[in-house]
């Protein structure tokens, strides 16, 4: 039993990472035509209808 008490627990440190995540989301906008909808989306209009799934994740760097 004394041996178990002497075992050292591993020391953990917190690391931070810069991560670029790509995911596909479904966005909605009200428009009279597909062309108008494209213009509105390009201008930043619309709202997220559904959060999509992550399709790619890339760790750019890890910092201590």
């Amino acid at each position: 039993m004394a041996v178990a008490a002497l075992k050292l627990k591993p020391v953990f440190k917190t690391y931070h990472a810069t991560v670029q995540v790509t995911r596909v989301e479904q966005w909605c906008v009200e428009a009279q035509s597909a062309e108008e909808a494209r213009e509105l989306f390009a201008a930043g209009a619309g709202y997220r209808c559904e959060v999509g799934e992550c399709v790619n994740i890339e760790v750019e760097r890890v910092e201590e």
Side-chain angles (χ1 to χ4, degrees):
M1 241 194 202
V3 174
L6 293 176
K7 286 188 176 180
L8 299 175
K9 292 183 179 181
V11 177
F12 292 97
K13 292 170 57 174
T14 301
Y15 293 88
H16 300 271
T18 301
V19 180
Q20 182 177 15
V21 178
T22 304
R23 72 173 178 218
V24 177
E25 299 180 344
Q26 186 178 65
W27 281 68
C28 302
V29 68
E30 293 185 17
Q32 292 181 346
S33 67
E35 182 61 33
E36 181 186 9
R38 283 187 194 90
E39 291 173 7
L40 289 168
F41 283 129
Y47 56 94
R48 186 171 62 193
C49 301
E50 185 177 319
V51 176
E53 295 184 23
C54 179
V55 294
N56 183 45
I57 183 168
E58 183 177 325
V59 178
E60 292 182 9
R61 67 173 187 257
V62 175
E63 303 168 359
E64 284 192 45

